[in-house]
Amino acid sequence: MRMYIEWLMVMYYEIGWTAFKGVLRGLLELRKHKVGKAEWFRRMRVCMKCPIYNARLRSCRTGSMGCGCYVPFSNLVKKECWGREKYGESFGWGWDDMKPAGIRKLNRLWNHGKKNQKQ
């Protein structure tokens, strides 16, 4: 229950009371994605070491940097953290961190090609 209240607080600070739409969307996303407990703890450890991490709100925001997400929840539903999306592989965590480097490179090239096709 405490994590749910913290999540609502972060949503309020980032979006305002219209955040309840985000709550519903988030609950639907949570049903789609399955992240194991060990992977969730690994992602949390990476986030807690990050200089952008706000320990009081458990969110990804320091000043103007970060995405403002509630970290315990986003670690369940996101494929990559904000830092990885923004700055590349040397920052944050990603969904393919545990795979060999060659496989990770192929996955990045494949996903980059998909993004370019959509545009």
Side-chain angles (χ1 to χ4, degrees):
M1 185 67 168
R2 184 189 67 162
M3 289 176 92
Y4 181 71
I5 292 170
E6 287 175 349
W7 180 39
L8 287 176
M9 286 176 54
V10 169
M11 296 289 279
Y12 173 71
Y13 287 132
E14 292 297 324
I15 304 170
W17 286 115
T18 59
F20 289 104
K21 290 179 188 173
V23 170
L24 294 176
R25 241 181 295 130
L27 292 174
L28 292 173
E29 284 294 315
L30 187 58
R31 294 187 69 196
K32 290 182 195 175
H33 300 283
K34 301 288 185 206
V35 173
K37 194 172 186 177
E39 175 65 10
W40 183 81
F41 276 114
R42 184 188 71 80
R43 291 175 179 189
M44 284 298 296
R45 281 193 302 272
V46 171
C47 288
M48 288 176 173
K49 293 176 185 175
C50 181
I52 298 171
Y53 180 71
N54 181 339
R56 187 175 64 83
L57 293 174
R58 297 188 348 164
S59 67
C60 177
R61 169 84 69 204
T62 299
S64 62
M65 288 191 73
C67 64
C69 68
Y70 179 61
V71 172
F73 180 75
S74 68
N75 285 348
L76 290 172
V77 298
K78 290 176 80 175
K79 283 191 171 187
E80 291 183 327
C81 79
W82 176 84
R84 176 72 58 96
E85 291 171 358
K86 185 91 171 161
Y87 297 109
E89 202 168 316
S90 61
F91 196 90
W93 54 263
W95 61 276
D96 62 350
D97 283 346
M98 305 307 268
K99 295 181 181 174
I103 301 290
R104 284 201 314 266
K105 186 174 181 180
L106 288 173
N107 286 338
R108 296 257 182 245
L109 291 172
W110 176 260
N111 288 332
H112 183 69
K114 283 183 181 179
K115 286 178 187 175
N116 287 340
Q117 288 176 357
K118 289 179 184 177
Q119 294 175 350

